[in-house]
Amino acid sequence: MHDIKNLRKNLEIYKKKLIDRNFILDTDKFNNLDNNNRKLITEKETLEKEKKILSKSKDKSNFEKSKKISEEISKLSVKQITTQNELNELLSFIPNIAQDDVPIGKDEKSNKLINQYGKKKEFSFKPKSHIEIGLKGSQIDFDISTKLSGSRFVVLKNKIALLERALINFMLDTHTTEFNYSEVSPPLIVNEDVMFGTGQLPKFEADQFEIRLEKSESRKFLIPTAEVVLTNLVRDTIVNRDQLPLRFVSSTPCFRKEAGSYGKDTKGMIRQHQFYKVELVSIVKPQDCNLELDRMLKCARNILEKLKIPYQVVLLSTGDMGFSANKTYDIEVWIPSENKYREISSCSSCGSFQARRMGAKYKSENGNDFVGTLNGSGLAVGRLMIALLENNQNKDGSVSIPNALKKYMFVPFQFEFTGSKLVYFSHSHE
């Protein structure tokens, strides 16, 4: 959310910059609500002062006058609260402003390629998709998941289920031991205020899974990403300056309706209603956001470099960024079966935009200021598994496991490595 004083002072600048974010700010509506709200507050405060003066008087004739003033104050309060709520609703739908070095454009066509890493493997055969690889032994099973839950769900079994778990543990270990993120195991159900804090509500309510709890007074939602919980760990708090930066990592299931993606990526595991993701969140001083964004991007890239998976980094345009972000880098992995790169991570700086919504501050040299927040996938597990399976497949149908992952893939009596290939034994070994 934006500072209303800044918005009021620089309304035309905001309006122009918001057009770059594909958002039209109704300045007339803002001015009317803002001016009316301030007028009502002034009128109410004037009457309150008058009533206070009357209350000090011993003249009984002032009793009726004071009573009438109280009634007027009550009426003004109702009007002011209504106006304030309308103003807050308008403000809550306004996206963050992009940084100056973000490319201007309406959509992904204006994104800027930053660099590419890794050599794409040249196959001597037509590479299979992750769906075809997983069909062997029904290790990726969409038929059962459809019976259980419907479309955009999947059941993973045996070696593929183990691979999912191995990737999660590998990423958590890397981010905690090498990059000093603190691991958090958060709740998967949050309230409306938490969803508002990071910007999921009210604008993106159609994408959220709301659940009903018996006798609950507040609305509850399944988290669409661990960013929601990790960022809100500092909501309504004042963090000591020497505690910053705070860096959190978590692996959770994520739940999304994908309301705006009808007909897109309906096959395979690219776009699911439920998926695992390892999420990175940083809480920093606002002036440190860009340095922290570069660091976070490096942490996410490191995972792909350890696994030797080709990828590219893209700076998103003003029209392609998320609602709360002021600068975003996407990491896209190479998917051989599609002959193209696919997003696997978005690393975003949000400045103090989310902090204002959450009431998250730190003790600065000049008093209490809002913190800066950042978030990034480190990485999306399903898409990482797709990239690993497809980039490391062999002609005989086996999949080579990168050295960095081997210790996470060994399960006694079930699996054994022969060279770099994972071979499944159909009989047990004592």
Side-chain angles (χ1 to χ4, degrees), residues 352-396:
S352 295
F353 184 83
Q354 292 178 324
R356 290 183 185 280
R357 298 169 77 98
M358 296 187 301
K361 297 182 177 182
Y362 76 105
K363 293 181 179 178
S364 69
E365 296 175 351
N366 303 316
N368 296 331
D369 292 329
F370 290 102
V371 298
T373 65
L374 302 96
N375 63 80
S377 305
L379 303 157
V381 180
R383 294 193 178 195
L384 180 57
M385 184 159 52
I386 290 169
L388 190 147
L389 289 172
E390 293 199 13
N391 282 282
N392 291 278
Q393 62 181 293
N394 302 298
K395 191 173 184 178
D396 62 3

Side-chain angles (χ1 to χ4, degrees), residues 97-343:
I97 298 293
Q99 294 188 31
D100 291 339
D101 61 342
V102 172
I104 296 173
K106 290 186 177 181
D107 50 35
E108 69 277 0
K109 294 177 182 177
S110 298
N111 293 347
K112 180 182 178 183
L113 177 64
I114 302 300
N115 57 32
Q116 292 182 331
Y117 172 90
K119 186 178 180 181
K120 300 170 189 174
K121 183 177 178 179
E122 295 182 6
F123 294 94
S124 61
F125 57 95
K126 182 181 178 181
K128 294 182 176 67
S129 70
H130 68 281
I131 303 171
E132 295 171 297
I133 295 170
L135 284 176
K136 188 175 182 180
S138 297
Q139 294 180 94
I140 298 178
D141 198 323
F142 293 102
D143 292 334
I144 291 179
S145 64
T146 300
K147 292 178 183 178
L148 296 173
S149 306
S151 62
R152 295 191 188 273
F153 291 92
V154 66
V155 170
L156 304 181
K157 304 175 186 175
N158 302 322
K159 286 182 280 187
I160 303 296
L162 172 60
L163 177 60
E164 179 182 59
R165 174 159 54 94
L167 287 170
I168 291 171
N169 289 336
F170 164 66
M171 287 190 280
L172 286 175
D173 284 352
T174 300
H175 291 310
T176 54
T177 61
E178 294 189 27
F179 301 121
N180 295 317
Y181 283 88
S182 297
E183 185 174 355
V184 176
S185 178
L188 304 181
I189 298 172
V190 294
N191 62 39
E192 188 175 6
D193 290 340
V194 170
M195 294 284 279
F196 176 85
T198 44
Q200 274 69 31
L201 294 181
K203 188 174 178 65
F204 303 102
E205 184 170 339
D207 261 328
Q208 314 310 324
F209 279 105
E210 184 173 1
I211 61 175
R212 294 182 180 180
L213 297 179
E214 190 176 357
K215 297 181 181 179
S216 176
E217 295 181 359
S218 65
R219 300 174 70 192
K220 305 289 185 184
F221 298 85
L222 291 172
I223 61 168
T225 166
E227 170 207 342
V228 172
V229 201
L230 298 181
T231 309
N232 274 278
L233 289 176
V234 294
R235 73 175 289 109
D236 295 326
T237 60
I238 300 175
V239 182
N240 288 325
R241 183 173 51 188
D242 56 5
Q243 289 181 274
L244 300 176
L246 294 170
R247 298 185 178 110
F248 305 117
V249 62
S250 185
S251 169
T252 67
C254 304
F255 305 90
R256 299 180 188 176
K257 286 185 180 179
E258 299 289 354
S261 64
Y262 181 77
K264 295 180 181 179
D265 302 318
T266 54
K267 295 182 179 180
M269 298 193 302
I270 289 289
R271 198 179 297 273
Q272 299 275 283
H273 288 312
Q274 174 187 318
F275 57 94
Y276 278 97
K277 182 156 64 82
V278 173
E279 185 74 5
L280 307 173
V281 162
S282 295
I283 311 296
V284 302
K285 299 171 188 174
Q287 60 268 29
D288 295 337
C289 278
N290 283 341
L291 284 175
E292 186 68 16
L293 180 60
D294 291 341
R295 182 188 189 275
M296 182 177 284
L297 181 65
K298 182 180 178 181
C299 296
R301 291 176 61 172
N302 182 264
I303 298 296
L304 294 171
E305 290 170 13
K306 285 179 182 294
L307 298 177
K308 302 186 184 305
I309 297 175
Y311 70 88
Q312 65 181 21
V313 177
V314 175
L315 177 61
L316 298 195
S317 72
T318 55
D320 198 31
M321 290 195 304
F323 176 80
S324 297
N326 61 25
K327 186 175 184 177
T328 298
Y329 289 103
D330 267 9
I331 303 175
E332 300 174 344
V333 287
W334 180 249
I335 305 297
S337 68
E338 298 186 2
N339 196 37
K340 67 179 180 181
Y341 289 96
R342 283 281 200 167
E343 177 203 337

